[in-house]
Amino acid sequence: MWTSEHTQRLHFIQKLDEEHALSQSLEPTSTLPPQPGRRRTSRGPFWMIPAALPSRRHTPDVPMACPAISGNLHKPAAPSLHCGRAVGACTASSPSSVASEAPMGRSEAMAAAAGGDGAGRRAVVVELLLVVLQLAGSCGAGTTAALPVVINTWAFRKATETAWRVLQLGGSELDAVEKGCGQCEIDQCDGSVGYGGSPDESGETTLDAMIMDGNTMEVGAVADLRRVKNAIGVARKVIEHTKHTLLVGESASLFAVRMGFPYEDLTTPKSLSMYSKWLNQSCQPNYWKNVVPDSSKSCGPYKRLEKVTCEKWTISQRSVHNHDTIGMVVIGGNGTVASGTSTNGGVHKIPGRVGDSPIAGAGSYADSTAGGAAATGDGDITMRFLPSYQAVEYMRMGMDPTVACQKVISRIQKYAPEFFGAVICANTTGSYGAACNKIPGFTQFHFMVYSPLLSQAAEQVVDCI
């Protein structure tokens, strides 16, 4: 598709061609005979070489230095990248509208340019021009598109590697999401996923999880799951063995046992220690408001106040890094999308509380016609805005994944400017991005990516907005 950007490139090339022609007119005409196999012709524009304008997709033949360029950049040699701040060799993606254009590398440009006048100088000019155009059209455009791709919230590397390994062994996208999130349940990632973390007000750890098939739009989810460790596995069984979408509480646990999952104690010495410490601090912080006795000074039991007052949301001790859900999006080589989440919820939550993680469109969302997204952070806030669904719909309209993530964060900011949260997004071409809300103590968001362009799972970082 010919765009205004292509027109600008053409004008730029023509200008360079005119300058080159002027320099040629000031030099003596070469008396060397034509080389065998070449046909001397009247001099045409040097950019008329046997290829279209160079694609914005990276070619390994053209090294690129990308200092201080915004957007998500990859440097395969480095396991950790800072999006927008990488310096050195990089790759960058093209929008889907130009993904089919044929890339031109250094060797192709040299060979094409060698067929006309001033072959040596022209080859150098073309080669440099390719580098300039690659930089101008690529490095600020987002991520390099390649499939399959695994992307998940936070620096949960083993989860990423597990999901990728499942794909490489021939597993489905749903298999990869289930095993990837399940790895975090086993590893108790950051204490916010799996057993032994985030005890509620009664000292009990409960789990939430969901998984979504972007082909069929089926969702399986569990919330307030007790005494069963593999929450994402139980969520998958909801898809496979019921006509329901979400099971909760003790009934979800009974369903899990029927599906062959064992009852196990989710409490650990660490979670008991957290609970004891919280009790000794007069149950601070907690999630109560408009109650008596004063919830900021007492453990209750509480009763409602007759007069309810509105409370402005502010950053508190309970907000930052209190809901570090794993959210994962997997897109297969054919563009099939699956997503999932797993968490043990907010620390010291009121028993029965369900956050965004098991809610389709809030915790995550997958649609194989557009892409996938997943959210993390304060689920009590983010679930009100269905950020994952909204991000996928933005990508369906052709929006870059990074921009889609930023837009959903900006929407939440209008109502809760100090909320803690982040979103990851990936479209069906393999391009991806992320965004987060900037608050004290949380100015950058770390997430993991694995794709064919990377030699290993790569931790990436995005500055919050």
Side-chain angles (χ1 to χ4, degrees):
M1 180 183 296
W2 191 271
T3 66
S4 59
E5 184 178 357
H6 288 93
T7 302
Q8 292 174 357
R9 292 188 188 184
L10 180 59
H11 290 164
F12 176 62
I13 295 170
Q14 289 174 326
K15 183 177 180 180
L16 287 181
D17 187 51
E18 292 170 359
E19 294 175 356
H20 180 72
L22 178 61
S23 65
Q24 287 287 89
S25 66
L26 297 178
E27 295 177 4
T29 303
S30 173
T31 58
L32 294 176
Q35 296 184 26
R38 294 187 181 179
R39 179 172 58 89
R40 294 188 67 92
T41 63
S42 59
R43 184 179 179 279
F46 77 89
W47 50 269
M48 295 182 67
I49 52 183
L53 288 172
S55 165
R56 293 194 296 188
R57 178 173 294 179
H58 173 67
T59 54
D61 290 329
V62 184
M64 298 186 296
C66 301
I69 299 174
S70 62
N72 298 319
L73 304 177
H74 310 292
K75 184 161 56 174
S80 178
L81 299 176
H82 186 286
C83 299
R85 296 184 185 274
V87 178
C90 73
T91 62
S93 71
S94 60
S96 57
S97 61
V98 296
S100 62
E101 293 175 12
M104 179 177 294
R106 178 186 303 182
S107 58
E108 293 173 84
M110 294 282 282
D117 293 338
R121 281 189 295 273
R122 188 174 305 172
V124 173
V125 172
V126 172
E127 182 181 3
L128 292 175
L129 179 60
L130 287 176
V131 175
V132 171
L133 291 179
Q134 291 275 10
L135 287 170
S138 301
C139 289
T143 59
T144 301
L147 293 174
V149 64
V150 174
I151 177 172
N152 61 261
T153 56
W154 307 107
F156 300 150
R157 181 179 300 274
K158 285 188 67 176
T160 318
E161 293 171 340
T162 298
W164 182 260
R165 184 162 56 251
V166 170
L167 288 180
Q168 298 307 299
L169 292 175
S172 70
E173 293 76 17
L174 276 179
D175 294 335
V177 169
E178 179 186 355
K179 297 303 181 183
C181 291
Q183 185 66 52
C184 246
E185 293 173 346
I186 295 171
D187 295 340
Q188 303 169 278
C189 290
D190 274 3
S192 63
V193 181
Y195 70 99
S198 302
D200 63 18
E201 280 193 344
S202 300
E204 184 178 12
T205 295
T206 59
L207 308 178
D208 301 338
M210 71 154 289
I211 190 167
M212 184 168 185
D213 185 334
N215 281 347
T216 65
M217 306 308 288
E218 290 179 294
V219 175
V222 291
D224 194 26
L225 182 70
R226 302 172 179 179
R227 300 183 301 281
V228 177
K229 289 184 176 181
N230 186 200
I232 188 76
V234 180
R236 176 102 183 249
K237 293 298 184 285
V238 174
I239 290 182
E240 295 176 341
H241 300 287
T242 82
K243 297 179 181 179
H244 298 309
T245 293
L246 173 63
L247 300 179
V248 301
E250 195 65 45
S251 296
S253 300
L254 291 173
F255 168 78
V257 172
R258 290 177 183 176
M259 294 295 103
F261 294 87
Y263 266 147
E264 300 178 87
D265 189 1
L266 304 187
T267 301
T268 64
K270 180 180 178 180
S271 65
L272 286 176
S273 175
M274 291 173 63
Y275 181 59
S276 297
K277 182 179 178 180
W278 180 72
L279 289 175
N280 292 333
Q281 294 175 171
S282 300
C283 301
Q284 301 304 310
N286 60 58
Y287 291 88
W288 292 90
K289 66 179 184 179
N290 295 319
V291 294
V292 290
D294 187 348
S295 61
S296 66
K297 301 176 182 178
S298 167
C299 288
Y302 307 110
K303 294 183 178 180
R304 66 183 178 89
L305 276 175
E306 291 297 329
K307 184 179 181 181
V308 175
T309 59
C310 294
E311 179 183 286
K312 180 182 178 182
W313 183 264
T314 57
I315 301 173
S316 67
Q317 181 182 342
R318 72 180 184 223
S319 298
V320 179
H321 301 303
N322 187 28
H323 307 72
D324 295 351
T325 312
I326 181 171
M328 179 177 286
V329 175
V330 174
I331 305 181
N334 61 356
T336 295
V337 184
S339 69
T341 64
S342 185
T343 185
N344 50 35
V347 183
H348 312 308
K349 62 191 176 187
I350 297 172
R353 177 262 187 187
V354 176
D356 66 318
S357 296
I359 307 302
S364 77
Y365 196 73
D367 187 336
S368 296
T369 66
T376 185
D378 188 343
D380 290 303
I381 297 294
T382 58
M383 68 188 300
R384 305 169 191 173
F385 299 89
L386 298 178
S388 297
Y389 168 79
Q390 189 63 59
V392 171
E393 290 306 303
Y394 282 141
M395 290 187 289
R396 186 191 308 283
M397 295 186 292
M399 194 172 292
D400 177 80
T402 297
V403 178
C405 286
Q406 291 172 342
K407 282 184 70 69
V408 298
I409 292 295
S410 296
R411 180 168 177 255
I412 302 173
Q413 285 175 333
K414 295 177 182 178
Y415 299 89
E418 297 178 333
F419 86 100
F420 167 59
V423 181
I424 57 172
C425 304
N427 65 24
T428 52
T429 71
S431 294
Y432 59 85
C436 53
N437 185 44
K438 184 177 181 180
I439 57 175
F442 184 58
T443 59
Q444 293 182 330
F445 172 56
H446 296 241
F447 63 102
M448 297 297 301
V449 178
Y450 212 145
S451 82
L453 300 174
L454 303 169
S455 60
Q456 59 184 312
E459 179 182 346
Q460 302 201 12
V461 187
V462 64
D463 291 325
C464 296
I465 59 174

